[in-house]
Amino acid sequence: MISRSIFDNISPLDHRYSMRSEEFEEYSRYLSERAKIRYQSEVELALVKALAKNGICSEEVVKEVKQAISELSPEEVYAEEKKTRHNIRALVNCIQKRVSEDAKPYIHFTTTSFDIVDTANSLRYKETAEELIVPTLKKLEKVLMEIALREKDTVQVGRTHGQHAVPVTFGFAVAEYVSRFGNKIHAVEESAKNLRGKISGAVGAYNASHLFFDKPEEFEADVLAELGLKASTHSTQIVEPEYITDFVHSLISAFGVLASFSDDMRHLQRSEIGEVGEHFGKDQVGSSTMPHKRNPINYENVKSMWKAFMPHMVTVYQDQLSEHQRDLTNSASSRFIPEIIVGLLSSVNRLIRVCEKLVVDHENIKRNFEMNKEMIVAEPLYILLASYGHPDAHEAVRKLTLESQQSGETLRGLIQKSEELKPYWEKLTDKQMELLINPEKYIGIASQKAEKVVEYWSEKLSIELD
């Protein structure tokens, strides 16, 4: 058995991020090499269970195989692979060594390697999604929902193109990500449910199994039913690659939403904005040379992790291409899919910890809003003028904004002085005047929309809020 210090590992997932993540043991249970071999063994066991069900072998064979795979170690399988130069043949040999002569013929009976490999991958990714990925994503979604509701009435200046626009609320801004991330969680759930397996042999035509079964597709269904899977609609030596492609795409797309959210949050932490902040530990250091700094390291890390793993999607798309019934060009590249999952989960758990302690600086939000609140009324002012018949309201208000910037007078003050515009001002209702006098009330239905979005996704994803 190889003994290696964690600091001798090459992938940062296996040293830097495994040490910082309390959840790494859980990731390993599904996504490690040990886990992969365990899932492949479970497919071999499902095969003999179906053979027994169909009267090809005895239940005693099932018991022997079940006991054998419970004793397997990845070290043993890898040692055997050094001799065979074939991973699945090595696994089969290791199982056969532990069973009787009567049981040996039924190990891997009628199957090809990728019956085992693809089915095992679909099984473990499906279970990883159901038991680990989706629950973790929903935990973050709940935190975002709580922020959206808590801050639904916190008036914040809206920003488009990095410029002050019209008012929203901070809860409304977070609700955007509740919605986007909710859609991605749903996509992960659906694509994981649709992962498929195969027990159709070397080219997918059931050549070997048809020697023993008049309806080999029914035998395939029996094997996969043991694993809670359905068969690929059509397979060659491999399962149709689009099932796994769609699943990984859903993960990368979810990762992109988190990168976008993280980018927004880190920009709101800029010194000149300062509307939100990360919780900073008493011994935490922001810079090696500037003791005063508090860098948005967690949000930056999420964006950085996304940059590392997002391009892997291109490789997954390339893995859709396999010549004729199969080539080996995806055999190495597909092994890196677990890293995408771990990268995503690592970032999600980081955001859960950070967002649970998100600090919202209400004074700075108000200060930034008031910086341009007089100009904010330009939009409702021009729309109201137009509604009362002004032939070129946009241009009239544009000129007023220039005059306001030069003179320091407010837009509403200038319009009341304008002989041309005074008649329109006098037509305004009390409600319309109120919005122009108090721009912080010009938030549309931002508060209600935040509530509505949270309510929709909490119901859709079955997330119970405290």
Side-chain angles (χ1 to χ4, degrees):
M1 181 176 176
I2 298 174
S3 177
R4 178 184 291 140
S5 165
I6 193 171
F7 297 108
D8 291 328
N9 291 332
I10 295 172
S11 171
L13 291 176
D14 292 326
H15 49 84
R16 185 170 186 85
Y17 297 111
S18 71
M19 291 179 68
R20 292 185 171 189
S21 174
E22 300 168 359
E23 301 85 9
F24 203 82
E25 289 296 325
E26 198 172 9
Y27 306 161
S28 182
R29 191 165 79 244
Y30 297 93
L31 300 167
S32 65
E33 192 68 4
R34 184 185 304 277
K36 184 178 78 173
I37 292 171
R38 174 171 60 81
Y39 277 104
Q40 290 172 349
S41 301
E42 289 294 332
V43 178
E44 295 285 1
L45 176 60
L47 174 65
V48 295
K49 284 181 177 179
L51 289 171
K53 177 183 176 182
N54 285 274
I56 303 296
C57 71
S58 67
E59 287 294 335
E60 187 58 38
V61 171
V62 176
K63 292 178 183 177
E64 286 191 49
V65 174
K66 187 174 183 179
Q67 179 63 32
I69 68 171
S70 71
E71 298 170 355
L72 281 178
S73 70
E75 291 85 1
E76 177 188 0
V77 175
Y78 263 69
E80 182 68 17
E81 188 182 346
K82 281 187 177 180
K83 294 185 286 183
T84 63
R85 297 290 192 266
H86 194 287
N87 60 336
I88 297 301
R89 192 68 244 175
L91 174 65
V92 171
N93 289 353
C94 289
I95 296 172
Q96 287 180 325
K97 287 176 184 177
R98 287 184 159 82
V99 300
S100 68
E101 293 299 314
D102 290 339
K104 285 181 181 178
Y106 302 106
I107 312 300
H108 205 61
F109 190 72
T110 75
T111 58
T112 189
S113 298
F114 263 69
D115 285 337
I116 309 304
V117 171
D118 273 1
T119 302
N121 279 335
S122 290
L123 177 61
R124 73 166 170 155
Y125 295 146
K126 180 174 180 285
E127 290 190 352
T128 304
E130 292 171 348
E131 300 170 17
L132 180 59
I133 300 173
V134 170
T136 305
L137 301 187
K138 285 186 177 181
K139 188 176 179 181
L140 175 58
E141 177 80 338
K142 182 179 179 180
V143 175
L144 295 178
M145 288 175 173
E146 290 169 345
I147 296 171
L149 290 179
R150 188 180 71 228
E151 305 294 339
K152 65 184 176 68
D153 296 320
T154 302
V155 177
Q156 179 191 40
V157 66
R159 295 176 172 91
T160 60
H161 310 280
Q163 305 295 306
H164 285 191
V166 295
V168 292
T169 69
F170 184 62
F172 173 84
V174 175
E176 171 197 344
Y177 292 101
V178 171
S179 181
R180 290 171 66 183
F181 198 48
N183 271 301
K184 293 301 102 186
I185 294 172
H186 181 66
V188 172
E189 285 184 307
E190 292 303 306
S191 60
K193 288 176 185 175
N194 202 33
L195 289 170
R196 305 296 180 98
K198 71 173 285 276
I199 303 292
S200 57
V203 293
Y206 305 89
N207 306 61
S209 56
H210 194 231
L211 293 171
F212 305 95
F213 303 100
D214 291 334
K215 297 180 178 179
E217 288 174 304
E218 292 182 3
F219 172 66
E220 176 183 50
D222 286 341
V223 178
L224 297 178
E226 295 286 344
L227 303 167
L229 293 174
K230 292 181 180 180
S232 177
T233 311
H234 180 284
S235 57
T236 56
Q237 193 176 85
I238 58 176
V239 168
E240 294 169 280
E242 285 68 40
Y243 296 112
I244 192 72
T245 302
D246 291 345
F247 172 65
V248 179
H249 174 80
S250 71
L251 300 176
I252 294 291
S253 189
F255 214 155
V257 173
L258 299 185
S260 180
F261 170 76
S262 297
D263 230 18
D264 273 1
M265 292 302 105
R266 77 184 183 91
H267 283 305
L268 290 179
Q269 289 185 72
R270 290 178 177 275
S271 299
E272 61 272 25
I273 298 176
E275 293 185 0
V276 302
E278 297 181 17
H279 175 76
F280 219 70
K282 67 182 182 66
D283 296 322
Q284 190 171 337
V285 175
S287 167
S288 63
T289 188
M290 294 171 283
H292 66 285
K293 289 191 71 184
R294 292 192 173 190
N295 300 333
I297 57 170
N298 289 295
Y299 295 116
E300 290 178 336
N301 179 270
V302 171
K303 183 178 181 182
S304 187
M305 291 284 271
W306 168 77
K307 285 164 61 179
F309 291 104
M310 176 270 292
H312 287 220
M313 193 64 227
V314 175
T315 304
V316 177
Y317 285 136
Q318 290 175 324
D319 284 346
Q320 286 182 261
L321 278 63
S322 190
E323 291 181 0
H324 305 299
Q325 279 65 57
R326 183 207 172 203
D327 62 39
L328 266 171
T329 56
N330 76 326
S331 62
S333 51
S334 63
R335 291 175 182 268
F336 291 89
I337 289 174
E339 291 194 351
I340 298 172
I341 298 173
V342 172
L344 171 63
L345 288 173
S346 177
S347 293
V348 172
N349 279 305
R350 180 184 288 263
L351 283 178
I352 290 169
R353 289 188 286 269
V354 173
C355 290
E356 283 179 336
K357 297 180 180 179
L358 180 72
V359 178
V360 179
D361 192 323
H362 293 91
E363 289 186 9
N364 277 352
I365 285 183
K366 184 178 180 181
R367 181 203 70 195
N368 291 337
F369 174 78
E370 291 184 345
M371 188 186 305
N372 277 319
K373 77 174 185 179
E374 295 299 339
M375 289 301 172
I376 285 167
V377 302
E379 182 191 71
L381 179 57
Y382 119 74
I383 292 173
L384 289 170
L385 289 175
S387 74
Y388 286 112
H390 194 290
D392 197 3
H394 190 281
E395 179 62 15
V397 174
R398 187 187 72 82
K399 290 179 178 178
L400 280 181
T401 60
L402 294 175
E403 186 179 344
S404 174
Q405 289 169 340
Q406 293 170 356
S407 67
E409 286 194 63
T410 65
L411 280 176
R412 61 177 179 270
L414 289 173
I415 191 176
Q416 292 176 77
K417 289 181 179 180
S418 170
E419 289 300 318
E420 176 199 352
L421 299 179
K422 189 175 181 181
Y424 298 100
W425 176 265
E426 292 173 349
K427 293 179 181 179
L428 298 178
T429 67
D430 290 343
K431 176 184 176 182
Q432 292 166 347
M433 283 189 179
E434 176 71 10
L435 291 176
L436 296 177
I437 294 170
N438 298 295
E440 61 272 13
K441 295 185 178 181
Y442 185 59
I443 59 170
I445 59 167
S447 299
Q448 299 95 309
K449 188 67 175 178
E451 288 182 334
K452 189 175 182 179
V453 166
V454 170
E455 181 182 359
Y456 175 83
W457 283 109
S458 62
E459 182 177 341
K460 179 94 171 174
L461 299 174
S462 300
I463 296 175
E464 291 186 11
L465 297 173
D466 299 330

